[in-house]
Amino acid sequence: QVQLVESGGGSVQAGGSLRLSCAASGRTFSTTAMGWFRQAPGEEREFVAAVSSYGGLTGYSDSAKGRFTISRDNAKNTAYLQMNSLKPEDTAVYYCAGKRSNTIGNREKGDAYDYWGQGTQVTVSS
């Protein structure tokens, strides 16, 4: 079992940056692929980024490519999402998720993930 706790959300102006963290408990973090999703009010939850269990593979949504970077530190049981050049349309609750797999296959499907955090709010003002 893995428990996930996000942090690092907040309010920022357009063009600014934030780094989200996802701290995981449990001894299986190094064999757990991780992902980030987001959900804006009135919208469906959408995939943002994913990283394989050892960090060698990553995947991004089109909206995240070139602006966001997902990473992880298995020694610290933490995954990160560095978000640069933020836009008002990035405003959402951001969730980290873990899947009992080393790889990021089906990374865009929320149902592929086994563990979820409680979410952290990101607000980008114009």
Side-chain angles (χ1 to χ4, degrees):
Q1 186 75 11
V2 174
Q3 292 183 324
L4 305 174
V5 179
E6 302 96 335
S7 62
S11 296
V12 65
Q13 289 193 324
S17 299
L18 283 173
R19 187 175 83 154
L20 305 183
S21 298
C22 175
S25 63
R27 296 185 176 185
T28 61
F29 182 74
S30 64
T31 59
T32 302
M34 297 297 295
W36 286 93
F37 288 74
R38 67 187 185 187
Q39 188 167 22
E43 301 288 334
E44 297 278 323
R45 181 180 62 193
E46 66 172 350
F47 168 76
V48 176
V51 61
S52 59
S53 62
Y54 287 97
L57 293 175
T58 58
Y60 297 91
S61 66
D62 287 343
S63 62
K65 281 179 187 175
R67 299 188 301 128
F68 295 1
T69 302
I70 189 170
S71 61
R72 64 190 297 155
D73 185 339
N74 286 349
K76 295 183 178 179
N77 275 16
T78 302
Y80 304 97
L81 184 69
Q82 177 67 44
M83 304 187 294
N84 298 329
S85 301
L86 283 162
K87 305 174 182 180
E89 51 263 43
D90 294 317
T91 296
V93 177
Y94 283 71
Y95 299 91
C96 70
K99 60 200 297 278
R100 290 191 295 262
S101 170
N102 291 321
T103 65
I104 56 173
N106 293 321
R107 56 186 172 270
E108 298 183 7
K109 297 181 180 180
D111 291 348
Y113 293 79
D114 303 290
Y115 315 110
W116 290 86
Q118 83 289 348
T120 187
Q121 176 70 46
V122 171
T123 302
V124 184
S125 58
S126 57

